[in-house]
């Protein structure tokens, strides 16, 4: 029964919510093995065995939001806040470029210092210096006008996880925010022309299989170009400090199901996966992921960009990570690809630089 449902999902990219729930409720090791092999096969139809690299730059950890799960939340007074200067970011880019990276992901909290003028200046300078590199921005919710300006300044992609598509769970974790505005942002970004990344956490306190089906349904409808999926990891200086649950297996199941429902998406093997399990990123790749994002930030920045604790690679230089990841990927029979790694549709149409 369950294998037939997986076969149907493989063929049609869709199932009724009740059947998706049935799969989640009845998953076991054997079935997961089958599911992940199907997801791997589906990924190969679009991206072969290529694993694309992104250079991550965490350029500010100031944040005006107060998400209950996140160590960067504004109520956390224990962390040291920092904001990189343009020159520091350019140094990270330079180093990344020399190592072969052709995508830079500029990620930060919702830092009001970065108004449109300042952010635009940063973006234009980076794009000027590295014209053939894909620039991804991930700085939270902004107005449509702001997204448009940044796009016109040269940003190619935008990451904004929806975090959870369950309205009640969303409202309980995000005081002063709304799922509606989150979705508005994602639709605006898509309409403007960005390659858009959504995504969610697995194992949030109170999250049910029904909630996870809502995530799959939302993604199926939005069809983002990129989808970040990772386990929730409690941070001791947040209201969710005492929540525990090892959800690596459920995260892997969600990666595979997402691969089958949005087959051409770029799916990262997230750092959170690698943090909960030594081989978490390898397992994510085998379950259908095809992106790894080594961190180009300087060590002190990485230490203070503490979304959750015990993050891997915080004390490692990116040169080391680059080699380590290459070896890990080869070991499981996949290949590192250092090109821009645009989404399948953008590759086909050879769209804009
Ligand atoms: N554990 C795992 N992931 C987290 N994120 C934020 N806090 C945590 C946590 N405690 C994720 C969110 C955010 C991304 C940058 O990191 O999904 O969008
Ligand atoms: Fe701002 Fe998490 S609290 S991104």
């Amino acid at each position: 029964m369950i294998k037939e449902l997986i076969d149907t999902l493989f063929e049609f990219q869709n199932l009724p919510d009740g059947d998706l729930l049935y799969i989640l409720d009845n998953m076991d090791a054997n079935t997961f093995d089958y599911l992940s092999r199907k997801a791997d096969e589906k990924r190969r139809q679009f991206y072969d065995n290529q694993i694309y690299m992104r250079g991550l730059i965490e350029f500010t950890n100031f944040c005006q939001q107060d998400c209950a799960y996140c160590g960067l939340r504004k109520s956390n007074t224990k962390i040291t806040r920092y904001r990189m200067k343009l020159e520091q970011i350019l140094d990270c880019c330079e180093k990344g470029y020399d190592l072969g990276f052709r995508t830079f992901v500029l990620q930060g909290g919702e830092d009001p210092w970065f108004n449109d003028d300042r952010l635009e200046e940063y973006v234009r300078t980076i794009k000027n210096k590295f014209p053939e590199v894909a620039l991804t921005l991930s700085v939270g919710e902004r107005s449509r006008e702001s997204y448009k300006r940044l796009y016109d300044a040269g940003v190619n992609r935008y990451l904004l996880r929806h975090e959870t598509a369950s309205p009640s769970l969303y409202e309980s974790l995000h005081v002063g925010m709304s799922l509606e505005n989150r979705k508005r942002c994602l639709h605006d970004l898509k309409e403007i022309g960005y390659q858009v990344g959504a995504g969610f956490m697995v194992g949030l306190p109170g999250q049910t299989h029904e909630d996870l089906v809502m995530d799959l349904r939302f993604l199926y409808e939005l069809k983002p170009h990129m989808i970040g999926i990772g386990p929730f990891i409690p941070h001791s200086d947040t209201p969710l400090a005492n929540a525990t649950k090892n959800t690596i297996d459920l995260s892997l199941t969600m990666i595979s199901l997402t691969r089958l429902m949005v087959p051409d998406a770029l799916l990262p093997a997230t750092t959170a996966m690698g943090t909960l399990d030594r081989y978490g990123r390898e397992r994510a790749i085998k379950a259908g992921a095809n992106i790894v994002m080594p961190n180009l930030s300087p060590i002190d920045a990485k230490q203070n960009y503490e979304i959750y604790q015990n993050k891997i690679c915080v004390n490692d230089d990116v040169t080391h990570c680059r080699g380590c990841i290459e070896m890990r990927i080869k070991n499981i029979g996949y290949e590192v690809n250092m090109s821009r790694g645009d989404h399948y549709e953008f590759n086909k149409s050879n769209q804009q630089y």
Side-chain angles (χ1 to χ4, degrees), residues 1-15 19-20 23 31 33-39 41-42 45 257 260-261:
M1 165 72 174
I2 193 164
K3 285 192 179 160
E4 280 130 46
L5 288 177
I6 292 169
D7 289 341
T8 310
L9 191 58
F10 182 87
E11 196 176 343
F12 298 105
Q13 290 85 58
N14 198 8
L15 281 178
D19 288 344
L20 292 170
I23 294 178
T31 314
D33 195 52
Y34 187 74
L35 171 67
S36 63
R37 274 189 286 117
K38 284 295 187 188
E41 188 183 336
K42 187 59 89 180
Q45 293 177 1
L257 291 172
L260 293 182
M261 292 185 78

Short mmCIF file of all heavy atoms in Angstrom, two decimals, residues 1-15 19-20 23 31 33-39 41-42 45 257 260-261:
data_model
loop_
_atom_site.label_atom_id
_atom_site.label_comp_id
_atom_site.label_asym_id
_atom_site.label_seq_id
_atom_site.Cartn_x
_atom_site.Cartn_y
_atom_site.Cartn_z
N MET A 1 0.83 -1.21 0.00
CA MET A 1 0.00 0.00 0.00
C MET A 1 0.86 1.26 0.00
O MET A 1 0.80 2.10 -0.90
CB MET A 1 -0.93 -0.05 1.23
CG MET A 1 -1.59 1.26 1.61
SD MET A 1 -2.89 1.78 0.46
CE MET A 1 -3.55 3.19 1.27
N ILE A 2 1.77 1.35 1.00
CA ILE A 2 2.55 2.59 1.13
C ILE A 2 3.53 2.73 -0.05
O ILE A 2 3.74 3.83 -0.57
CB ILE A 2 3.26 2.65 2.51
CG1 ILE A 2 3.79 4.07 2.77
CG2 ILE A 2 4.34 1.64 2.64
CD1 ILE A 2 4.13 4.32 4.22
N LYS A 3 4.07 1.61 -0.51
CA LYS A 3 4.99 1.69 -1.66
C LYS A 3 4.25 2.12 -2.92
O LYS A 3 4.80 2.84 -3.76
CB LYS A 3 5.71 0.37 -1.87
CG LYS A 3 6.79 0.16 -0.82
CD LYS A 3 7.73 -0.98 -1.12
CE LYS A 3 8.76 -1.05 0.00
NZ LYS A 3 9.42 -2.35 0.09
N GLU A 4 3.01 1.67 -3.03
CA GLU A 4 2.23 2.12 -4.20
C GLU A 4 1.95 3.62 -4.15
O GLU A 4 1.99 4.29 -5.19
CB GLU A 4 0.90 1.36 -4.29
CG GLU A 4 1.06 -0.03 -4.91
CD GLU A 4 0.43 -1.13 -4.09
OE1 GLU A 4 -0.73 -0.97 -3.64
OE2 GLU A 4 1.10 -2.16 -3.86
N LEU A 5 1.70 4.10 -2.96
CA LEU A 5 1.49 5.55 -2.83
C LEU A 5 2.76 6.30 -3.24
O LEU A 5 2.70 7.32 -3.94
CB LEU A 5 1.12 5.92 -1.38
CG LEU A 5 -0.27 5.52 -0.90
CD1 LEU A 5 -0.46 5.89 0.58
CD2 LEU A 5 -1.36 6.19 -1.74
N ILE A 6 3.91 5.79 -2.83
CA ILE A 6 5.18 6.43 -3.20
C ILE A 6 5.38 6.38 -4.72
O ILE A 6 5.81 7.36 -5.33
CB ILE A 6 6.35 5.77 -2.43
CG1 ILE A 6 6.22 6.10 -0.93
CG2 ILE A 6 7.70 6.24 -2.97
CD1 ILE A 6 7.13 5.30 -0.03
N ASP A 7 5.02 5.24 -5.32
CA ASP A 7 5.12 5.14 -6.78
C ASP A 7 4.22 6.16 -7.48
O ASP A 7 4.62 6.78 -8.47
CB ASP A 7 4.73 3.73 -7.25
CG ASP A 7 5.78 2.70 -6.86
OD1 ASP A 7 6.93 3.11 -6.57
OD2 ASP A 7 5.45 1.49 -6.83
N THR A 8 3.02 6.33 -6.94
CA THR A 8 2.09 7.32 -7.53
C THR A 8 2.67 8.73 -7.39
O THR A 8 2.62 9.53 -8.33
CB THR A 8 0.72 7.25 -6.82
OG1 THR A 8 0.29 5.89 -6.80
CG2 THR A 8 -0.31 8.12 -7.54
N LEU A 9 3.22 9.01 -6.23
CA LEU A 9 3.83 10.32 -6.01
C LEU A 9 5.00 10.53 -6.97
O LEU A 9 5.18 11.62 -7.53
CB LEU A 9 4.31 10.41 -4.55
CG LEU A 9 4.74 11.79 -4.04
CD1 LEU A 9 3.61 12.80 -4.18
CD2 LEU A 9 5.19 11.71 -2.58
N PHE A 10 5.77 9.48 -7.17
CA PHE A 10 6.91 9.56 -8.11
C PHE A 10 6.43 9.92 -9.51
O PHE A 10 7.01 10.74 -10.20
CB PHE A 10 7.64 8.21 -8.13
CG PHE A 10 8.85 8.20 -9.02
CD1 PHE A 10 10.09 8.61 -8.55
CD2 PHE A 10 8.75 7.78 -10.34
CE1 PHE A 10 11.20 8.62 -9.37
CE2 PHE A 10 9.86 7.78 -11.18
CZ PHE A 10 11.08 8.19 -10.69
N GLU A 11 5.30 9.31 -9.90
CA GLU A 11 4.82 9.50 -11.26
C GLU A 11 4.09 10.82 -11.46
O GLU A 11 4.26 11.50 -12.48
CB GLU A 11 3.90 8.34 -11.64
CG GLU A 11 3.68 8.26 -13.13
CD GLU A 11 2.84 7.05 -13.52
OE1 GLU A 11 2.70 6.11 -12.70
OE2 GLU A 11 2.31 7.05 -14.63
N PHE A 12 3.28 11.22 -10.47
CA PHE A 12 2.40 12.39 -10.68
C PHE A 12 2.77 13.61 -9.84
O PHE A 12 2.10 14.62 -9.90
CB PHE A 12 0.94 11.99 -10.40
CG PHE A 12 0.43 10.92 -11.32
CD1 PHE A 12 0.29 9.61 -10.87
CD2 PHE A 12 0.14 11.22 -12.65
CE1 PHE A 12 -0.17 8.61 -11.73
CE2 PHE A 12 -0.32 10.23 -13.51
CZ PHE A 12 -0.47 8.92 -13.06
N GLN A 13 3.80 13.52 -9.01
CA GLN A 13 4.23 14.64 -8.15
C GLN A 13 3.16 15.09 -7.16
O GLN A 13 3.28 16.16 -6.56
CB GLN A 13 4.65 15.88 -8.99
CG GLN A 13 5.93 15.73 -9.76
CD GLN A 13 5.69 15.06 -11.10
OE1 GLN A 13 4.93 15.57 -11.90
NE2 GLN A 13 6.35 13.94 -11.33
N ASN A 14 2.11 14.31 -7.01
CA ASN A 14 1.05 14.77 -6.12
C ASN A 14 0.25 13.60 -5.56
O ASN A 14 0.14 12.55 -6.20
CB ASN A 14 0.11 15.71 -6.89
CG ASN A 14 -0.73 16.56 -5.96
OD1 ASN A 14 -0.53 16.58 -4.75
ND2 ASN A 14 -1.68 17.28 -6.53
N LEU A 15 -0.30 13.81 -4.38
CA LEU A 15 -1.20 12.86 -3.71
C LEU A 15 -2.16 13.69 -2.87
O LEU A 15 -1.81 14.80 -2.46
CB LEU A 15 -0.42 11.94 -2.75
CG LEU A 15 0.37 10.75 -3.27
CD1 LEU A 15 1.07 10.08 -2.09
CD2 LEU A 15 -0.54 9.75 -3.99
N ASP A 19 -3.34 10.90 1.90
CA ASP A 19 -2.34 9.89 1.55
C ASP A 19 -0.94 10.32 2.00
O ASP A 19 -0.12 9.49 2.43
CB ASP A 19 -2.34 9.65 0.04
CG ASP A 19 -3.58 8.88 -0.41
OD1 ASP A 19 -4.26 8.28 0.44
OD2 ASP A 19 -3.87 8.90 -1.63
N LEU A 20 -0.66 11.62 1.93
CA LEU A 20 0.64 12.11 2.43
C LEU A 20 0.73 11.87 3.92
O LEU A 20 1.77 11.44 4.44
CB LEU A 20 0.79 13.61 2.12
CG LEU A 20 0.92 13.97 0.64
CD1 LEU A 20 0.82 15.49 0.45
CD2 LEU A 20 2.25 13.46 0.07
N ILE A 23 1.48 8.29 4.63
CA ILE A 23 2.91 7.98 4.45
C ILE A 23 3.71 8.40 5.68
O ILE A 23 4.52 7.64 6.21
CB ILE A 23 3.47 8.67 3.18
CG1 ILE A 23 2.82 8.09 1.92
CG2 ILE A 23 4.99 8.54 3.11
CD1 ILE A 23 3.27 8.74 0.62
N THR A 31 10.59 1.32 4.38
CA THR A 31 9.87 2.22 3.48
C THR A 31 10.70 3.45 3.18
O THR A 31 10.73 3.93 2.05
CB THR A 31 8.52 2.66 4.12
OG1 THR A 31 7.88 1.50 4.64
CG2 THR A 31 7.64 3.33 3.11
N ASP A 33 13.86 3.63 3.01
CA ASP A 33 14.88 3.21 2.05
C ASP A 33 14.31 3.28 0.63
O ASP A 33 14.95 3.80 -0.29
CB ASP A 33 15.31 1.77 2.40
CG ASP A 33 16.59 1.42 1.70
OD1 ASP A 33 17.54 2.21 1.83
OD2 ASP A 33 16.61 0.38 1.00
N TYR A 34 13.11 2.80 0.47
CA TYR A 34 12.44 2.82 -0.83
C TYR A 34 12.17 4.26 -1.28
O TYR A 34 12.49 4.66 -2.40
CB TYR A 34 11.13 2.04 -0.74
CG TYR A 34 10.44 1.85 -2.07
CD1 TYR A 34 10.93 0.95 -3.01
CD2 TYR A 34 9.31 2.61 -2.39
CE1 TYR A 34 10.30 0.80 -4.24
CE2 TYR A 34 8.68 2.46 -3.62
CZ TYR A 34 9.18 1.54 -4.54
OH TYR A 34 8.57 1.40 -5.76
N LEU A 35 11.60 5.05 -0.36
CA LEU A 35 11.28 6.45 -0.65
C LEU A 35 12.52 7.23 -1.07
O LEU A 35 12.50 7.97 -2.07
CB LEU A 35 10.65 7.09 0.60
CG LEU A 35 10.42 8.61 0.56
CD1 LEU A 35 9.35 8.98 -0.47
CD2 LEU A 35 10.01 9.14 1.94
N SER A 36 13.60 7.07 -0.34
CA SER A 36 14.79 7.88 -0.63
C SER A 36 15.43 7.46 -1.94
O SER A 36 15.98 8.28 -2.67
CB SER A 36 15.78 7.83 0.53
OG SER A 36 16.24 6.53 0.70
N ARG A 37 15.33 6.17 -2.29
CA ARG A 37 15.87 5.75 -3.60
C ARG A 37 15.05 6.36 -4.74
O ARG A 37 15.60 6.76 -5.76
CB ARG A 37 15.94 4.23 -3.69
CG ARG A 37 17.26 3.72 -3.08
CD ARG A 37 17.53 2.25 -3.30
NE ARG A 37 16.68 1.43 -2.45
CZ ARG A 37 15.78 0.59 -2.91
NH1 ARG A 37 15.62 0.41 -4.22
NH2 ARG A 37 15.04 -0.12 -2.07
N LYS A 38 13.75 6.46 -4.52
CA LYS A 38 12.89 7.11 -5.53
C LYS A 38 13.23 8.59 -5.65
O LYS A 38 13.26 9.17 -6.76
CB LYS A 38 11.41 6.95 -5.13
CG LYS A 38 10.87 5.56 -5.38
CD LYS A 38 10.88 5.32 -6.86
CE LYS A 38 10.22 4.06 -7.30
NZ LYS A 38 10.43 3.79 -8.74
N ALA A 39 13.46 9.23 -4.51
CA ALA A 39 13.80 10.66 -4.52
C ALA A 39 15.13 10.89 -5.22
O ALA A 39 15.29 11.83 -6.00
CB ALA A 39 13.84 11.19 -3.08
N GLU A 41 16.43 9.02 -7.53
CA GLU A 41 16.21 8.80 -8.95
C GLU A 41 15.59 10.04 -9.59
O GLU A 41 15.98 10.48 -10.68
CB GLU A 41 15.27 7.59 -9.12
CG GLU A 41 15.10 7.12 -10.55
CD GLU A 41 14.10 5.95 -10.62
OE1 GLU A 41 13.90 5.24 -9.60
OE2 GLU A 41 13.50 5.77 -11.70
N LYS A 42 14.62 10.63 -8.91
CA LYS A 42 13.94 11.83 -9.43
C LYS A 42 14.93 12.99 -9.56
O LYS A 42 14.94 13.70 -10.55
CB LYS A 42 12.79 12.19 -8.48
CG LYS A 42 11.89 13.30 -8.96
CD LYS A 42 11.23 13.00 -10.29
CE LYS A 42 9.91 12.27 -10.15
NZ LYS A 42 9.30 11.99 -11.48
N GLN A 45 17.05 12.88 -12.65
CA GLN A 45 16.40 13.26 -13.91
C GLN A 45 16.66 14.73 -14.25
O GLN A 45 16.65 15.12 -15.40
CB GLN A 45 14.88 13.02 -13.83
CG GLN A 45 14.50 11.56 -13.74
CD GLN A 45 12.99 11.36 -13.58
OE1 GLN A 45 12.22 12.32 -13.54
NE2 GLN A 45 12.58 10.11 -13.48
N LEU A 257 10.16 13.46 0.33
CA LEU A 257 8.80 13.77 -0.14
C LEU A 257 8.79 15.08 -0.92
O LEU A 257 8.12 15.22 -1.95
CB LEU A 257 7.83 13.83 1.04
CG LEU A 257 7.52 12.49 1.72
CD1 LEU A 257 6.69 12.69 3.00
CD2 LEU A 257 6.78 11.54 0.76
N LEU A 260 10.02 14.61 -4.39
CA LEU A 260 9.04 13.98 -5.29
C LEU A 260 7.93 14.97 -5.68
O LEU A 260 7.36 14.85 -6.76
CB LEU A 260 8.44 12.73 -4.64
CG LEU A 260 9.43 11.57 -4.47
CD1 LEU A 260 8.73 10.36 -3.85
CD2 LEU A 260 10.08 11.19 -5.79
N MET A 261 7.63 15.93 -4.83
CA MET A 261 6.53 16.86 -5.13
C MET A 261 6.98 18.12 -5.87
O MET A 261 6.18 18.75 -6.57
CB MET A 261 5.79 17.24 -3.84
CG MET A 261 5.03 16.05 -3.26
SD MET A 261 4.03 16.47 -1.83
CE MET A 261 2.61 17.25 -2.61
#
